[in-house]
Amino acid sequence: MSYPPIATQRRSTGIPTGRLAVWWVLASEVVIFGGLLASYLMFRIGHPEWADAAVHTNTWIGAFNTFVLLTSSFTAVLGHQAAERGEGKLAARYLIYTILGAATFVGVKSYEWWYEISHGYTITTNNFWSFYYTAAGLHAAHVIAGAVIMGYIARDAAKNVNLHRVELIGIYWHFVDVVWIFLFPLLYIAK
Amino acid sequence: MESLIQQASSYAGSIDGVILLVGWIVGFWFIAVEGIFFWLIWRGRAKPGVKSQYITGKEKHLKRWITWPHALVLVCDVFIVIGAAKVWYDIKLQLPEADSTVRVIGQQWAWVFQHPGMDNELDTADDIFTTDTLHVQNNRTYHYRLESRDVLHDFSVPVFRLKQDAIPGRSITGWFRPTVAGTFDVQCAEICGIGHGVMGGRIVIEEASEHAAWIAQNSTSAQ
Amino acid sequence: MADASVTTVEGAVEHHAHEHHGPQGILKYIWSTDHKIIAMQYLFTGLFMGLVGGLMAYVFRMQLAFPGISVPGFGVVSPHEYNALVTNHGSIMIFWVAMPVLIAAFGNFLIPLMVGADDMVFPKINRLSYQVFFVSAVLILASLFVEGGGFGGAWTAYPPLSAQGDYNLSSLGATLWLIAVALEFIAFLLGGINFITTMMNSRAPGMKAYDIPLVCWMIVIASILFMLSVGPLIAGAIMLLFDQTIGTGFFDPARGGDPILWQHLFWFFGHPEVYVVLLPALGITIDIVATFSRKKVFGYKIMLYTVVATGVLSFFVWAHHQFIAGIDPRMANVFMVTTLLISVPIAELCFVVIATLYGGSITLNTPMLWALAFMAEFLLGGVTGIFLGATGADIYLHDTYFVLAHFHYTFFPIAIIGTFAALTYWFPKMFGRMMNDTLGKIHFWGTIIPFNFIFIPLFVLGLGGQHRRIYDFQNFPELAAMQPFRVFATMSLIVMLLFQLVFFYNFIQSLRKGPKAERNPWKANTLEWTTESPPPHGNWPPDQLPRVYRGPYEYAHPDREEDYWPQNLPA
Ligand code: HEA
Ligand code: HEA
Ligand code: CUA
Ligand SMILES: [Cu+2]
């Protein structure tokens, strides 16, 4: 089976199949993060004392990472536009910038966690920290997975192959960004 | 219901009442629907040369055969909701004045019962602790405080129609009023590990004099 | 095809060795991206797991009927083994039998064929879905044999019992169970993407939304329902996994956690999940009923909208499993109202199926018998749900065998009756041969009658106050007396299991020697019947993919001599 099935080329709804699929993936991701954050919120409302734990998160680092992610989302958009114009090389370059953003995000996050862990705030310290590491960790896993896939797509795009995938990974990347926009205030700002 | 299991609390009758109410309503529907179902199958058996009818489901005179029943189901639901909510309110939402309070503690895999002693006050020096046997007096209203030491358990007394989960870290208060003297099963109704199947207990319902004697005999600091 | 059947179970183990040789020989079946082969893989894995789940039921039912005996073929059942068997029976039957067979196997087989496509839109994701599923199946089976034994904390896995090895005494089994379930969810999320997008986007030219056979709609709606409800439980599974392995306290009250939270996450998924498996079975039923009563479905759109209404409502009923689990008792009545409301759309669905029979010309062959039996038996399962939804009654009935009988009267029709209906109906298309109808009917009656004899007594036991997950009722004086009911149920189960041999014989014989099936043996309208039996790779020759001119249920149309009108025939 080397040739793609005819089914893949059809478009009964008028929407490209890849985009449909990404939206459905995101729908299922939304409920995963939604469940986690809803649980966190229920606890947070019931336990005002968690604010004392939240004091020890570093808002500045969080803010910096927010900035990094937003910028990387912007380069992803530029990549998409380049791909639309058929400029594969340029699209690939923008994707690489996005990957660099992801790498910065993960690097900063590692430092942050190392710092917190070495000060005794680990995932088992209390339930605030459990949520902190679980939610941020699940998000970071999405960042890393996204960056890896983006690497493959960039490699193809540089050869002008599968350019439509640049858009798809971009949609995913915005989602990762939006999740962070929820996590940042909930975990860092609310003190 | 009573022929299957005795009623031994003040509210057992009303719970059985709800079960019967639902039973009559859905029983009627069940029989009616199955009846029509089999009748249609019987009536519709393929006969050589007879073509089936072309019906789209938009015909008004046919469609009402499903819209009416389906509105009626809603009406039946209302009756069931009212009946059940009333009983639920009486049992779970209000707490009648207690004549006495016991504490029921679930743990892997036994029930610990804490009875008030002679002073009829819980958490005093003369409290009586027992394992797996709860002593209560007939025709008295009891509050129970349900707790757990480890995992979830569920305090269930079938003859009372009483059932409530025990949750570690919480104390849940409920009530019952026995109406028949005798000895009955207590079961644990929430899986709690290997010994869940043996986590039974007995509830002993005694008449006043008997119960007073038991209390007197067992109170640790009986005066 | 027959080869695929035998090899799927060992399948994935073998492929690693030959990774780079390209698919040939047996590997063609294991490493294939063809939707029909993946359907077979799901089907045979599911059937195998069904057998495992059924045999588990045999072991623990023997223990219940004859406590303490050495069960032939198993040995003495210890209390922990009993719990582990019940837990894994429940989990396997739902996650490794009902879902893979009804959704994945028939979804994979039917959706591309019924919408007139040559394959799924993402064949590789499809293959990945099965592979993840296969790993999860291996894990759940392996979890039974690890140190400490399988997980025994019920399929609902309520913490703290499930969270701490100190409590369940099988920490490895519990962790493996959890990972297996989580992987199974991921497999179905991957599969669901294909079902949804294929039906949305790869329909044959001319096929409008209301021309899609209902069974496709049902599988797709079920996939969406699954997708939207399982998320919180996946989050919960991660939390529980951390509780189990690295010692967080999400669900541990001693450390500020809340065990009830898990119940909310579980049932928020758990209740929609019952409709996730119900809908495909209902779709199968309605398609078969339409074909063999030669009738247009009574209200295609009513059916569709009602299903959507059911799906939406199903997100608001979950706490009816927790009435007495320590939620705020005032909330209980709210959930009672939503729960009872759901009887309205479901009643409507049942009425539509029944109304379809009206004025029909009904042939009672094996598939039709199964489809009708689904309806007849499910009704009892459905109406007994109303007792449980009524708060006042549930105080008593919760966690008794009444609940158990309720859901076996829904699940058995869905998972077993529905499967047999679909299998006997599409067998000619799947394998290119006809099944023996007489043996099929013997198997039918030999399954349906014992089924009722197993579970009717369990209703009685439940009303008598018998609770679930108890390995020996002799410990309870009031319950000990009802032993004859238990023995009777177990005996009926054995009879039923023996009759399954008829099915296996029929299945294998028909595969080898059954008369060759023509393209359209049932004279049905939908597109899968317009290609060869079994369909070749690509389903139709690439230049002859069908085009659609009308809806799927145009039976006995007055404008036509023939009593059926295939979707692809030009007017
Ligand atoms: C596919 C499986 C399936 C299906 C379809 C259903 C359908 C329903 N279930 Fe069931 N249920 C389970 C599987 C299923 N359930 C399982 C597995 C459990 C136990 C889990 C565990 O604890 O392990 C359970 C437990 C369960 C409980 C919790 C019991 C307890 O533990 O205390 C409740 C309570 O409300 C309930 C209610 C219902 C209702 C109201 C429906 C409704 O959808 C039914 C609606 C259908 C009809 C009503 C029939 C058709 C209508 C008519 C013929 C018209 C006449 C009707 C009226 C007038 C009302 N179910
Ligand atoms: C789809 C769901 C499903 C199915 C089909 C069944 C089928 C059966 N179940 Fe199951 N059961 C559950 C889901 C299911 N169960 C769940 C969720 C629980 C709760 C677990 C818990 O408490 O945690 C449970 C618990 C449970 C108990 C309670 C134990 C206890 O609480 O102590 C009992 C007791 O009798 C029981 C009995 C049976 C029997 C006799 C069958 C028989 O009908 C089995 C007959 C089997 C066959 C006929 C198999 C034959 C298979 C083939 C021939 C292969 C073909 C395959 C297909 C058609 C798919 N089950
Ligand atoms: Cu305690 Cu079950
Ligand atoms: Cu439910």
Side-chain angles (χ1 to χ4, degrees), chain C residues 64-104:
Chain C
L64 289 177
F66 312 104
I69 65 152
S70 170
V71 178
F74 185 85
V76 178
V77 183
S78 72
H80 181 255
E81 279 166 346
Y82 181 89
N83 286 351
L85 284 169
V86 169
T87 302
N88 288 284
H89 158 81
S91 318
I92 286 180
M93 285 297 199
I94 296 175
F95 297 128
W96 282 274
V97 181
M99 289 184 68
V101 175
L102 290 170
I103 300 186

Side-chain angles (χ1 to χ4, degrees), chain B residues 205-221:
Chain B
I205 305 169
E206 298 150 327
E207 296 301 350
S209 56
E210 239 181 303
H211 188 65
W214 183 82
I215 297 270
Q217 198 184 350
N218 289 279
S219 273
T220 33
S221 56

Side-chain angles (χ1 to χ4, degrees), chain C residues 8 34-47 95-114 120 126 129-130 133 184 187-188 191-192 195 215 219 223 280 284 415 418-419 422-423 426 430-431:
Chain C
T8 36
D34 185 340
H35 72 100
K36 297 183 289 298
I37 300 208
I38 292 170
M40 295 301 156
Q41 293 172 334
Y42 266 116
L43 178 67
F44 287 104
T45 318
L47 287 177
F95 297 128
W96 282 274
V97 181
M99 289 184 68
V101 175
L102 290 170
I103 300 186
F106 289 107
N108 262 310
F109 187 78
L110 295 176
I111 290 178
L113 279 167
M114 282 187 154
M120 287 287 180
N126 209 10
S129 156
Y130 175 74
F133 172 77
E184 199 266 0
F188 277 85
F195 301 153
V215 63
I219 292 173
S223 299
I284 289 165
T419 301
L423 210 55
W426 279 291
M430 293 178 137
F431 304 104

Side-chain angles (χ1 to χ4, degrees), chain B:
Chain B
M1 282 303 297
E2 269 201 88
S3 59
L4 282 168
I5 182 159
Q6 208 173 345
Q7 299 173 340
S9 78
S10 55
Y11 48 64
S14 44
I15 290 190
D16 287 1
V18 182
I19 296 179
L20 284 179
L21 170 77
V22 181
W24 282 112
I25 295 180
V26 303
F28 161 77
W29 277 97
F30 177 69
I31 291 171
V33 176
E34 294 275 2
I36 294 173
F37 179 66
F38 284 112
W39 176 71
L40 283 177
I41 297 174
W42 175 252
R43 218 186 75 129
R45 288 170 343 261
K47 297 174 202 76
V50 182
K51 221 172 160 186
S52 56
Q53 298 175 33
Y54 187 77
I55 296 166
T56 59
K58 293 201 190 82
E59 300 81 353
K60 278 228 173 58
H61 69 287
L62 291 176
K63 207 170 155 183
R64 61 167 185 248
W65 284 97
I66 66 173
T67 37
W68 278 101
H70 141 227
L72 274 178
V73 171
L74 196 61
V75 176
C76 291
D77 280 349
V78 173
F79 280 105
I80 296 173
V81 166
I82 294 172
K86 201 179 149 302
V87 172
W88 178 264
Y89 177 83
D90 288 345
I91 298 172
K92 293 280 179 183
L93 282 178
Q94 56 134 337
L95 207 56
E97 205 55 31
D99 299 323
S100 191
T101 303
V102 291
R103 178 170 284 121
V104 178
I105 306 165
Q107 66 181 58
Q108 281 181 328
W109 291 281
W111 291 107
V112 174
F113 298 109
Q114 183 181 359
H115 310 70
M118 297 284 274
D119 59 358
N120 202 16
E121 294 258 353
L122 211 56
D123 294 321
T124 52
D126 68 344
D127 285 357
I128 308 169
F129 287 87
T130 55
T131 313
D132 290 347
T133 320
L134 172 63
H135 285 261
V136 292
Q137 183 182 325
N138 198 6
N139 288 320
R140 267 181 114 194
T141 303
Y142 280 85
H143 282 184
Y144 59 83
R145 297 205 198 298
L146 185 56
E147 290 163 21
S148 164
R149 288 200 179 133
D150 34 48
V151 300
L152 302 180
H153 299 275
D154 186 311
F155 179 54
S156 166
V157 186
V159 287
F160 286 2
R161 312 292 187 266
L162 162 70
K163 196 173 287 158
Q164 176 63 51
D165 273 13
I167 296 156
R170 293 197 203 174
S171 176
I172 296 174
T173 305
W175 68 281
F176 59 83
R177 184 183 173 87
T179 54
V180 177
T183 306
F184 302 102
D185 275 345
V186 174
Q187 297 186 33
C188 173
E190 187 64 63
I191 180 116
C192 53
I194 293 178
H196 168 66
V198 291
M199 194 170 156
R202 301 289 278 169
I203 182 164
V204 183
I205 305 169
E206 298 150 327
E207 296 301 350
S209 56
E210 239 181 303
H211 188 65
W214 183 82
I215 297 270
Q217 198 184 350
N218 289 279
S219 273
T220 33
S221 56
Q223 289 104 9

Side-chain angles (χ1 to χ4, degrees), chain B residues 25-26 29-30 33 72-73 76-77 80, chain C residues 94 155-156 158 267 271 273-275 277-278 320-321 323 339-340 342-343 346-347 350-351 378-379 381-386 388-390 394 397-399 403 406-407 410-411 414 468-469:
Chain B
I25 295 180
V26 303
W29 277 97
F30 177 69
V33 176
L72 274 178
V73 171
C76 291
D77 280 349
I80 296 173
Chain C
I94 296 175
W155 78 289
T156 48
Y158 285 178
W267 290 117
H271 194 88
E273 166 70 10
V274 306
Y275 300 120
V277 293
L278 168 64
H320 66 207
H321 297 271
F323 283 155
T339 300
L340 290 197
I342 231 169
S343 67
I346 302 229
C350 297
F351 295 162
F378 175 78
L379 275 175
V383 295
T384 48
I386 303 300
L388 305 171
D394 190 56
L397 296 175
H398 174 69
D399 250 332
V403 176
H406 151 66
F407 72 73
T410 52
F411 268 138
I414 290 168
R468 298 168 59 183
R469 301 150 184 162

